[in-house]
Amino acid sequence: MKKVFAAKDIKSNCFLPPVTDENAVTFSRGIAASLRKYPESPLASFPQDFQLYELAQFNEQTGEFEPNVQPRLICDLNSLSFPFSFVIKKL
């Protein structure tokens, strides 16, 4: 079972397209790596405008989604620092 994650643009109040990953740590680590690789991207340029959320569970065997009751905040994007470290907000 994978988890479904997305970044939310808090200025426009919209979620970016979702992705799947094993857990919040691997998702956040991947985002941190992307910020380093693409420093001109909107997420890297304006990290204060984005938050990372867990949205659902995804069963790879059946294709079924099990949405969270509400999106679960993982962290503010600007809390990711280099080298990679962050604090996951308590759920």
Side-chain angles (χ1 to χ4, degrees):
M1 180 102 44
K2 296 234 180 191
K3 297 196 182 251
V4 180
F5 299 97
K8 181 179 183 181
D9 182 335
I10 56 178
K11 295 281 177 140
S12 68
N13 198 33
C14 293
F15 283 92
L16 301 181
V19 298
T20 60
D21 212 323
E22 296 300 320
N23 57 55
V25 172
T26 55
F27 172 66
S28 299
R29 186 173 45 216
I31 293 291
S34 294
L35 296 176
R36 286 192 301 275
K37 186 172 182 177
Y38 304 104
E40 301 300 318
S41 71
L43 278 82
S45 298
F46 306 102
Q48 71 280 0
D49 293 348
F50 295 92
Q51 295 174 318
L52 304 181
Y53 283 86
E54 178 190 319
L55 304 177
Q57 311 280 329
F58 173 64
N59 187 321
E60 297 172 293
Q61 304 291 316
T62 66
E64 295 176 320
F65 284 88
E66 191 177 311
N68 295 348
V69 174
Q70 62 184 25
R72 205 174 284 152
L73 178 63
I74 298 169
C75 67
D76 295 321
L77 192 60
N78 63 1
S79 72
L80 296 178
S81 60
F82 307 100
F84 175 72
S85 66
F86 70 97
V87 176
I88 293 180
K89 299 202 182 252
K90 292 186 179 184
L91 304 177

